[in-house]
Amino acid sequence: MTLTELRYIVAVARERHFGRAAEACFVSQPTLSVAIKKLEEELDLKLFERGASEVSVTPLGEAIVRQAQSVLEQAAAIKEIAKRGKDPLNGALRLGIIYTIGPYLLPELVKHAIEKTPQMPLMLQENFTVKLLDMLRTGELDCAIMAEPFPDTGLAIAPLYDEPFVVAVPIRHALAQRQRISADELKKETMLLLGTGHCFRDHVLEVCPEFARFSSDAEGIRKSFEGSSLETIKHMVASGMGVTVVPQLSMPRDPQPHVAYIPFEEPVPTRRVVLAWRRSFTRYEAIAALRNAVYACELKGAQRLTP
């Protein structure tokens, strides 16, 4: 059994495809297939079920892949320990971030990271929470910035900030001149939501649960419309299609000609943004440096949660 063989089975488990796994490992598919077959013979069990279009991991294979990932991380930790003796912050940090945080935090975060730790470039991956959690588990990412709650995966978690929500309405809407809006008042409106898969969609439905499905009242059928990103939804609001709820940091810095942003009445709904990483990740100084770069950001309207 070799580290190379362990890398191969982790890649196949991640890609669910021998060809893509071979490409990810920079080897030919026959080389990868032969190595995995040799490992299966050595262990005297089948790690993968080969289907017509996709490869699945057997139940015992799942446990072995998890152990293989742990072994690979421990092997990589040996090199990291050696590096830390020279420069603890040397080398790229693979950072994941969810779609509803990335566009609003990254411009300033990257600037501060470059200023504070130029020797630690950020390799960025923007994705859904569930995908980022999977990439953390398989070692494709070192850490991720996400919003709670998410499934307990045994990750180490450091809170970064609490971010309030605000209501976005068309500038000519009756609510546009209000100082504050209650969640109950939104029940009468056409709500614009992010599509399925975005955790912020779930956050909005916690505030306005009646929009989880089509509903009806005396005025007829109300529907919720979906958009692919917060920026797309803001354009839909500007065009008069409805109203939406957005996180505070996504608000434009300058007044907008077609959209008004109104705070919620107390209690104001919020989300907690956290930094998560595998407990086996050994670059503690890199995590601390990234947190400091986040805290150096303006985070206007959000409440910093420093240690």
Side-chain angles (χ1 to χ4, degrees):
M1 186 184 308
T2 66
L3 290 177
T4 298
E5 290 168 348
L6 298 184
R7 285 192 194 93
Y8 290 169
I9 66 171
V10 168
V12 172
R14 181 180 67 242
E15 301 292 341
R16 307 283 172 168
H17 191 276
F18 276 80
R20 291 195 297 270
E23 290 178 8
C25 295
F26 303 102
V27 297
S28 67
Q29 184 172 334
T31 297
L32 180 136
S33 298
V34 168
I36 291 178
K37 184 178 181 182
K38 173 177 171 292
L39 182 58
E40 288 180 322
E41 290 174 351
E42 180 181 343
L43 297 174
D44 193 25
L45 59 84
K46 184 177 288 190
L47 297 172
F48 303 103
E49 295 287 353
R50 282 79 163 169
S53 59
E54 187 176 84
V55 175
S56 61
V57 188
T58 64
L60 262 179
E62 288 276 6
I64 289 173
V65 167
R66 284 196 299 271
Q67 186 61 36
Q69 179 63 47
S70 178
V71 170
L72 292 172
E73 288 179 9
Q74 293 302 315
I78 294 174
K79 293 182 179 179
E80 292 297 335
I81 290 170
K83 283 183 182 179
R84 286 169 62 187
K86 300 175 182 177
D87 185 348
L89 299 175
N90 187 49
L93 184 70
R94 298 172 297 174
L95 171 65
I97 193 164
I98 59 175
Y99 291 116
T100 58
I101 295 178
Y104 315 110
L105 180 64
L106 284 178
E108 200 174 354
L109 173 60
V110 169
K111 182 188 80 167
H112 289 302
I114 292 171
E115 291 172 353
K116 294 174 181 294
T117 53
Q119 73 276 38
M120 188 184 76
L122 298 178
M123 294 178 60
L124 301 170
Q125 168 71 48
E126 201 175 27
N127 220 310
F128 296 111
T129 298
V130 64
K131 179 60 177 175
L132 296 181
L133 289 171
D134 187 55
M135 295 176 76
L136 281 171
R137 180 180 61 80
T138 59
E140 294 174 81
L141 291 175
D142 299 322
C143 54
I145 295 175
M146 300 177 289
E148 290 185 328
F150 48 81
D152 183 7
T153 54
L155 296 170
I157 294 173
L160 296 174
Y161 56 88
D162 285 340
E163 182 179 17
F165 301 161
V166 297
V167 182
V169 303
I171 199 70
R172 301 190 192 284
H173 195 282
L175 295 173
Q177 303 305 315
R178 293 285 299 279
Q179 294 299 309
R180 290 191 175 272
I181 298 176
S182 70
D184 282 345
E185 291 177 280
L186 298 181
K187 294 178 181 178
K188 301 176 183 178
E189 304 297 330
T190 298
M191 178 66 74
L192 306 177
L193 298 170
L194 285 170
T196 303
H198 289 276
C199 63
F200 191 72
R201 172 194 175 94
D202 301 328
H203 295 156
V204 173
L205 291 178
E206 287 180 13
V207 179
C208 309
E210 60 277 358
F211 291 106
R213 57 180 61 86
F214 293 160
S215 59
S216 62
D217 61 13
E219 298 172 357
I221 296 177
R222 288 198 310 271
K223 293 185 178 181
S224 60
F225 296 88
E226 296 184 351
S228 58
S229 72
L230 287 177
E231 295 309 306
T232 298
I233 287 180
K234 288 178 190 176
H235 289 302
M236 293 165 71
V237 170
S239 69
M241 284 191 64
V243 305
T244 195
V245 175
V246 298
Q248 175 94 30
L249 294 184
S250 75
M251 286 175 51
R253 292 177 180 266
D254 300 318
Q256 299 296 291
H258 304 297
V259 180
Y261 294 90
I262 317 296
F264 273 97
E265 290 182 354
E266 297 289 346
V268 178
T270 64
R271 67 174 176 180
R272 174 156 294 185
V273 175
V274 302
L275 177 62
W277 65 96
R278 292 184 310 284
R279 294 185 184 278
S280 58
F281 186 60
T282 58
R283 294 178 63 190
Y284 313 115
E285 296 87 353
I287 295 294
L290 181 63
R291 292 179 70 186
N292 289 336
V294 173
Y295 295 143
C297 297
E298 184 178 359
L299 303 179
K300 187 175 182 179
Q303 180 183 356
R304 287 176 176 79
L305 302 172
T306 54

